[in-house]
Amino acid sequence: MKKLAIVIGIIAAVVVAASVIALAQATLPGLVGEDVSPDGCLSCHRVTEDGRDHTMATMLQETHGRFSASRLADLAGCYTCHERRGDMAELMHAAHYAGEDNHFITRYNGYCTHCHSVDLASGAIGVKGK
Ligand code: HEC
Ligand code: HEC
Ligand code: HEC
């Protein structure tokens, strides 16, 4: 009887360990598992198949509408101003993580690797599209 309990205990421990590993794989897209946002910002900020406009130019219309469209088309465009300002990290982390019902978290699980790349060989961290 005792032996059976030990065997069941071991099986339970293995099942728990396996599901923890499976969970870790499912929650690190781009590192372990498929990169769900290979184009960084532009994987999400685009016109969707059903016609909804999530482009950065549209999202920033109110504050950046006066700037030329080419500087709002991609991250390189943003950096023509924000490199000098040195505020891109602060702005992007606030835009995607702050607030009660932030869709980056509630709809996209908030992964750092949506934007950041990690070179597993060197350990260097970058931003996709920069
Ligand atoms: C996985 C999808 C995803 C990726 C990748 C992503 N965003 Fe977003 N972004 C969102 C969502 C969702 C919101 C809206 C958040 C909310 O609910 O307020 C948002 C909001 C924004 C806003 C609006 C901020 C404001 O002041 O209203 C800007 C600008 C923006 N993102 C730029 C970027 C840039 C630049 C990158 C790349 C460095 C990027 N995003 C990557 C999904 C994404
Ligand atoms: C021509 C210069 C210029 C370009 C190009 C530019 N910005 Fe900005 N951005 C600014 C300035 C200036 C401010 C500060 C506005 C303020 O503080 O009133 C700002 C503020 C912001 C803010 C905070 C205010 C807000 O509107 O939510 C976000 C977020 C932002 N920029 C994102 C971006 C992104 C993403 C891009 C590229 C798609 C971009 N910016 C391109 C000049 C620029
Ligand atoms: C929406 C895109 C986006 C997401 C999501 C994101 N980052 Fe960033 N992060 C940036 C950008 C853009 C920079 C600025 C890089 C630069 O200018 O060289 C940055 C810079 C950084 C830096 C450099 C330090 C600094 O403040 O400049 C660190 C550390 C960092 N991010 C950590 C994280 C972590 C941890 C997460 C997940 C919790 C995360 N980031 C999620 C876009 C993002």
Side-chain angles (χ1 to χ4, degrees):
M1 229 25 222
K2 234 184 183 173
K3 250 192 197 155
L4 185 62
I6 290 170
V7 169
I8 290 173
I10 290 171
I11 291 172
V14 169
V15 168
V16 168
S19 50
V20 166
I21 291 166
L23 198 66
Q25 286 177 340
T27 54
L28 279 174
L31 285 182
V32 187
E34 191 194 347
D35 187 347
V36 293
S37 305
D39 299 324
C41 322
L42 299 184
S43 287
C44 298
H45 294 292
R46 58 189 179 86
V47 179
T48 58
E49 288 73 25
D50 57 0
R52 276 176 302 169
D53 185 347
H54 297 301
T55 57
M56 296 193 284
T58 298
M59 296 196 74
L60 291 166
Q61 178 58 38
E62 220 172 279
T63 50
H64 290 60
R66 66 189 186 280
F67 303 141
S68 78
S70 66
R71 301 176 85 179
L72 301 175
D74 56 23
L75 190 56
C78 313
Y79 273 114
T80 62
C81 293
H82 285 280
E83 187 81 74
R84 230 172 310 129
R85 297 177 64 87
D87 57 358
M88 206 51 178
E90 197 185 325
L91 288 174
M92 288 302 102
H93 296 155
H96 296 86
Y97 291 110
E100 285 276 298
D101 177 34
N102 191 306
H103 288 170
F104 182 72
I105 297 170
T106 56
R107 295 197 186 157
Y108 298 93
N109 296 314
Y111 301 126
C112 309
T113 51
H114 278 309
C115 297
H116 287 285
S117 57
V118 181
D119 181 340
L120 292 178
S122 66
I125 294 175
V127 177
K128 297 171 194 174
K130 200 199 173 188

